[in-house]
Amino acid sequence: MARRSDFGSILTTQSGRYRGRYRRRGKDYYTPLRPSRRLVGQDLTKIHASILDGTWEPPRGTIKRPTLSLDETATIEEWYEHWYGQMEKAGRSPNSLRGYGSIFRRRILPTLGHIELGELTAEDCRDLYVTLQESLSIVSAQNTIRSLSACMGAAVDAGLLASNPVQVKGAMAKPRARTDFPMLEVEQIARLIDATEGKYKAAVTLGVWCQLRISEVRALTREDVKLAPLRVSVSKAVKRGPTGALTVGPPKSEAGRREISVPAVMHEVLLHHLEVYVPPAPGSLLFHNRDRLDGIVSDKVLLRALNLATEAAGLPRLRFHDLRHIGLTHYGRQGATLADLKFRAGHSSVEAVQIYQHSSKQRDAELAARLGS
């Protein structure tokens, strides 16, 4: 998007930063990336003055078109702009794009953005990691380094670099999946659902017995519930767009698109919810905010309903995502294969669902007690 200045134009880049564009002797030139329009305006004013007094010269190393014809002399900031645009065109999740944008603007570009791709060293990356740990948690610092590594890895894939310079010991390993989530047995799940406020009973039920992510629950509409036999179609999820606004988009991955059977234990709750709380139009949201029937319900609202229910039922405090873990563990106990679990959960990797074939500590104690009897 371009906005006119007294001289040249001010462009808003895909990552939310700005650069100036001006034309001289039949060619387009661009100013360096800046965090504000005011700074770009100052750059353009200086360039205009140099043209008027006859001292202007073509900027050394200027990239005529910022998103094309890049090589290893491009700065990290210029390569990031191109990489971000490619991810956007490829349909990457708005949440992922927003996350990358925030990390690069706040933590990476201010320190490394001016460095040419071919000049970035492993030492530069290690120094950044050490500096980040002074003001951020270890997890946040690790996420930053992994984001930088992903960007530089894309430069390797594009043939701009021979190898990825991001080699930071202790920062690259992804955190292990949580395995210590609370486990509820069938009777406890029934108590939890009974204790949940009426208009949110179905949300909790979908979380545990259909094992849906909270983002998937919030995006469901009446037309996503198929009758005879009762099934739920998952084809979208609620996310934050690049500007932070709520939006409905594709699920977390292509594997997230699925149509799953609704177990008999939750038929009554789901059908009652459709009859009492959901308008008849096919596109009506199953759960909406208090002010608008077409307004997406906040995840905080669902979490608050869950917290109140666990307290009323005398159960341990849960994250909404714990419901999914609990439900998938029960599904695994019924003899589900890894392929069954992958499909049910909407996961693309086997590793992500292997945990659900493991027994809980309580289940282990029950089975051990039966040995020899």
Side-chain angles (χ1 to χ4, degrees):
M1 177 180 178
R3 179 172 295 186
R4 294 298 302 174
S5 137
D6 291 337
F7 166 75
S9 302
I10 297 177
L11 309 176
T12 303
T13 68
Q14 291 157 321
S15 64
R17 293 166 73 85
Y18 307 92
R19 71 162 81 234
R21 178 177 64 197
Y22 60 99
R23 194 163 182 81
R24 179 71 173 155
R25 296 169 184 167
K27 295 183 179 180
D28 284 337
Y29 294 94
Y30 295 85
T31 66
L33 286 161
R34 301 294 190 193
S36 70
R37 289 189 177 89
R38 180 181 61 82
L39 293 175
V40 175
Q42 292 175 358
D43 289 339
L44 289 172
T45 298
K46 292 176 183 177
I47 292 168
H48 193 201
S50 69
I51 291 173
L52 293 176
D53 65 22
T55 60
W56 179 86
E57 292 183 359
R60 183 181 177 186
T62 295
I63 298 172
K64 188 174 179 182
R65 294 186 179 275
T67 59
L68 298 174
S69 304
L70 293 170
D71 58 29
E72 66 175 7
T73 65
T75 65
I76 289 173
E77 188 158 17
E78 288 166 333
W79 167 249
Y80 161 72
E81 289 288 334
H82 174 78
W83 177 62
Y84 186 98
Q86 292 299 105
M87 289 193 295
E88 196 170 42
K89 290 178 183 177
R92 283 293 296 271
S93 157
N95 278 354
S96 296
L97 292 173
R98 189 167 60 93
Y100 278 125
S102 176
I103 286 173
F104 270 83
R105 286 195 303 271
R106 295 166 56 193
R107 305 174 190 169
I108 296 176
L109 297 182
T111 303
L112 304 179
H114 66 285
I115 298 176
E116 292 183 0
L117 277 177
E119 298 298 321
L120 182 67
T121 66
E123 185 176 0
D124 292 329
C125 302
R126 287 192 290 269
D127 288 345
L128 175 63
Y129 185 50
V130 170
T131 301
L132 290 171
Q133 291 182 76
E134 294 175 358
S135 58
L136 300 173
S137 68
I138 293 293
V139 172
S140 294
Q142 290 174 334
N143 284 341
T144 301
I145 296 301
R146 285 197 296 272
S147 297
L148 177 59
S149 178
C151 184
M152 294 302 102
V156 174
D157 293 340
L160 303 183
L161 295 175
S163 61
N164 191 331
V166 187
Q167 304 293 330
V168 183
K169 187 176 181 179
M172 302 308 298
K174 291 185 178 181
R176 293 182 180 180
R178 184 184 176 195
T179 60
D180 61 342
F181 54 86
M183 185 60 199
L184 300 184
E185 300 307 319
V186 173
E187 179 274 330
Q188 292 174 307
I189 295 172
R191 279 167 42 203
L192 174 66
I193 294 171
D194 286 343
T196 304
E197 183 182 350
K199 60 184 175 180
Y200 300 123
K201 282 184 189 293
V204 172
T205 306
L206 286 162
V208 67
W209 288 130
C210 282
Q211 300 88 25
L212 300 189
R213 301 175 177 94
I214 191 170
S215 60
E216 296 168 341
V217 170
R218 294 164 64 203
L220 288 175
T221 59
R222 177 179 280 276
E223 64 188 350
D224 294 323
V225 181
K226 316 296 183 182
L227 305 176
L230 198 56
R231 293 155 293 142
V232 172
S233 176
V234 181
S235 60
K236 51 191 179 295
V238 172
K239 305 178 180 186
R240 294 269 178 194
T243 64
L246 289 178
T247 182
V248 174
K252 188 175 181 180
S253 67
E254 191 58 34
R257 296 181 186 275
R258 60 205 189 276
E259 186 170 285
I260 57 177
S261 298
V262 176
V265 69
M266 64 170 288
H267 283 195
E268 183 179 348
V269 170
L270 184 55
L271 293 174
H272 176 77
H273 183 82
L274 289 171
E275 181 181 349
V276 175
Y277 298 107
V278 185
S284 298
L285 288 165
L286 263 59
F287 309 97
H288 54 80
N289 67 25
R290 295 179 180 178
D291 301 323
R292 294 172 49 193
L293 291 177
D294 61 347
I296 299 169
V297 68
S298 165
D299 54 356
K300 293 180 180 179
V301 169
L302 296 184
L303 183 57
R304 181 175 181 274
L306 177 61
N307 288 338
L308 291 174
T310 54
E311 184 177 353
L315 296 170
R317 196 176 184 90
L318 301 171
R319 304 176 307 163
F320 200 93
H321 202 69
D322 289 334
L323 299 175
R324 175 173 161 86
H325 286 306
I326 291 166
L328 286 170
T329 299
H330 279 285
Y331 190 66
R333 284 182 181 179
Q334 305 308 311
T337 66
L338 289 175
D340 295 332
L341 285 161
K342 278 180 62 181
F343 175 78
R344 185 81 178 177
H347 275 306
S348 55
S349 69
V350 169
E351 291 79 7
V353 296
Q354 282 179 325
I355 182 177
Y356 304 118
Q357 287 194 322
H358 298 170
S359 295
S360 66
K361 292 179 180 178
Q362 180 176 341
R363 179 67 171 167
D364 178 66
E366 292 173 357
L367 294 174
R370 297 178 190 173
L371 292 175
S373 61

